[in-house]
């Protein structure tokens, strides 16, 4: 498993769960530290995570391209301000190849169980393979368990039916009557891409969304050439985007009374009022809550999709799905050939359904019985030497998850280094480098976090996937400046070493 000399583990072994954006990052950073004693277990056949699984028409990132890339691996060749999904998928594959990560990945290897025993993690893979590690880094992501709606008769539909994250590319939609359930970010992208190109597009709107109009400008060949030849210029562009994104959005949504949050509202209202001339349609598309209360949808042309005579907005509730279409609450029947479920993901799963057993033989499922939580969105009491990238209560809804993960991985390494240094110098019977947060630290963090959510825009009158079972936002409720400060200066006093 690892090299031990005089009781000191000189080459600790790591297991990384997941080969998406965060898993690739963790592997690269471990190699950068001179540690090649790790394995990445990936349940699928390829890297890329959500960008591997989401290939629906119109899929793109809603974070600017040059910000949604690793700081150490900028891409001067992005084609647009907001990159299409296939480019992002290719980017992660290229980075994994360039940094020689593929050789450390076990594909089609879903982790089934992890048990902390005698100072190490015992790992069981679905196919029966077993491994052992000193440290586990969970990079399982947030948007990877599709959420299927609980609608009567859904299984009775005889046409083509699929979730946006399981798109069936073998189906020619040009001569089909297509129904889309949902109007979130994925749905908006699909609707914009399909409008006018299918026989009929029926949008079943459960809740209207505020849409911020941002042109997805093509990046010129001249600019690509400049970025290629002048890395400093590309870094400047990335830094400027980061600052603007932080001030105008990331910090705005955590302060509902901020001028920036109010400006988002004005801009969204202007987009709706200017883009939709039909008064009845406009009011059907108008939300009854603040902009950014739900995840803010960014689109250059969503409202224009309804200018097509073949695109229909349906706001009547769905009564049930029938073999040939959807029956509405008012008994209207909408005949469909294809049913697309743009209904998001189960965002509270994180490592689950992996069975995780920590100290005292307690399961993570039991600990998270009410809801998931983690100290600083990274670590859990009684689950030592197990760390999460983009875990519960982090800035999942208000910043680039790549920058979040880059800050988190350095925080994790700082914890590991601290634990190893402390246990080296200890005269007590401390096992080498085994660390987890104190229960009191998590309780204090959660108490402060819950109180801080009261000032965010996420509690201004909507129901969204940001909210837990209590109606409290699950996301980081402070500024990104504070997140950066917390990650750069770990509170080591909030952790304890395992004897």
């Amino acid at each position: 498993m690892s090299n031990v000399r005089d009781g000191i583990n000189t080459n600790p072994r790591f297991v990384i769960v997941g080969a998406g954006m965060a898993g690739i990052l963790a592997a690269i950073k471990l190699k950068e530290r001179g540690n090649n004693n790790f394995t990445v277990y990936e349940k699928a056949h390829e890297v890329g995570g959500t960008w591997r699984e989401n290939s629906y028409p119109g899929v793109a990132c809603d974070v600017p391209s040059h910000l949604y890339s690793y700081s150490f691996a900028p891409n001067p060749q992005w084609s647009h301000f907001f990159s299409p999904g296939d480019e992002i998928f290719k980017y992660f594959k290229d980075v994994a190849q360039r940094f020689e990560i593929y050789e450390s990945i076990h594909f089609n290897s879903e982790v089934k169980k992890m048990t902390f025993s005698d100072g190490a993690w015992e790992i069981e893979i679905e196919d029966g393979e077993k491994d052992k590690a000193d440290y586990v880094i969970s990079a399982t992501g947030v948007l990877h368990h599709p959420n299927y709606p609980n609608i009567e008769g859904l299984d009775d539909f005889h046409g083509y039916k699929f979730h946006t994250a399981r798109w069936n590319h073998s189906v020619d939609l040009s001569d089909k009557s297509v129904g889309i359930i949902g109007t979130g970010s994925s749905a908006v992208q699909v609707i914009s891409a399909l409008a006018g190109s299918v026989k009929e597009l029926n949008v079943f709107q459960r809740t209207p969304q505020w849409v911020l109009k941002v042109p997805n400008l093509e990046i010129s060949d001249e600019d690509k050439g400049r970025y290629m030849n002048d890395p400093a210029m590309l870094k400047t562009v990335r830094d400027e985007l980061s600052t603007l994104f932080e001030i105008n959005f990331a910090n705005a949504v955590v302060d509902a009374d901020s001028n920036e949050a109010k400006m988002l509202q004005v801009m969204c209202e202007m987009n709706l009022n200017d883009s939709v001339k039909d008064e009845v349609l406009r009011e059907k598309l108008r939300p009854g809550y603040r902009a950014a209360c739900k995840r803010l949808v960014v689109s250059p042309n969503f409202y224009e999709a309804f200018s097509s005579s073949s695109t229909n907005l349906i706001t009547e509730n769905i009564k049930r799905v029938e073999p040939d279409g959807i029956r509405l609450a008012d008994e209207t029947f909408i005949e469909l050939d294809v049913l697309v479920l743009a209904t998001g993901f189960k965002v509270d799963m994180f490592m689950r359904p992996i069975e995780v057993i920590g100290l005292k033989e307690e399961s993570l499922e039991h600990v998270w019985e009410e809801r998931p939580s983690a100290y600083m969105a990274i670590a859990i009491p009684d689950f030592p030497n197990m760390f999460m990238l983009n875990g519960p209560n982090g800035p999942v809804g208000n910043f680039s998850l790549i920058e979040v993960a880059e800050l988190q991985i350095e925080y994790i390494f700082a914890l590991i280094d601290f634990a190893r240094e402390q246990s080296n110098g200890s005269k007590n019977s401390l096992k080498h480098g085994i660390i987890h947060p104190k229960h009191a630290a998590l309780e204090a963090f959660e108490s402060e976090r819950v109180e801080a959510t009261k000032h965010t825009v996420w509690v201004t009158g909507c129901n969204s996937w940001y909210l837990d079972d209590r109606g409290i936002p699950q996301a980081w409720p402070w500024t990104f400046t504070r997140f950066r400060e917390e990650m750069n200066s770990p509170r080591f006093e909030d952790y304890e070493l395992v004897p």
Side-chain angles (χ1 to χ4, degrees), residues 3-10:
N3 298 328
V4 177
R5 184 178 65 250
D6 299 326
I8 298 175
N9 188 344
T10 59

Side-chain angles (χ1 to χ4, degrees), residues 356-474:
V356 185
I357 308 297
L359 294 176
K360 308 170 189 174
E361 299 184 353
E362 190 169 28
S363 72
L364 182 62
E365 185 67 32
H366 179 260
V367 171
W368 281 358
E369 188 174 10
E370 286 190 336
R371 67 195 64 89
S373 63
Y375 181 68
M376 293 293 166
I378 287 175
I380 310 166
D382 294 332
F383 291 85
N385 288 6
M386 183 181 76
F387 310 103
M388 291 175 287
L389 294 174
N390 293 311
N393 316 130
V396 64
N398 48 331
F399 213 73
S400 167
L401 288 185
I402 292 185
E403 182 156 357
V404 170
E406 287 193 15
L407 290 166
Q408 288 177 325
I409 195 66
E410 296 304 328
Y411 178 97
I412 290 168
F413 290 154
L415 287 182
I416 292 172
D417 291 344
F418 168 78
R420 289 164 64 81
E421 291 166 4
Q422 292 297 307
S423 55
N424 280 349
S426 174
K427 297 179 180 180
N428 300 319
S429 57
L430 290 173
K431 294 178 181 176
H432 185 74
I434 300 177
I435 189 170
H436 65 130
K438 299 173 182 176
H439 283 275
L442 176 57
E443 291 169 6
F445 171 73
E446 270 297 281
S447 178
E448 184 186 5
R449 191 190 67 80
V450 168
E451 181 64 26
T453 63
K454 297 177 181 179
H455 305 289
T456 69
V457 74
W458 304 314
V459 295
T460 55
C462 68
N463 182 25
S464 76
W465 62 266
Y466 289 152
L467 305 182
D468 65 17
D469 59 294
R470 303 165 296 178
I472 294 173
Q474 303 173 76

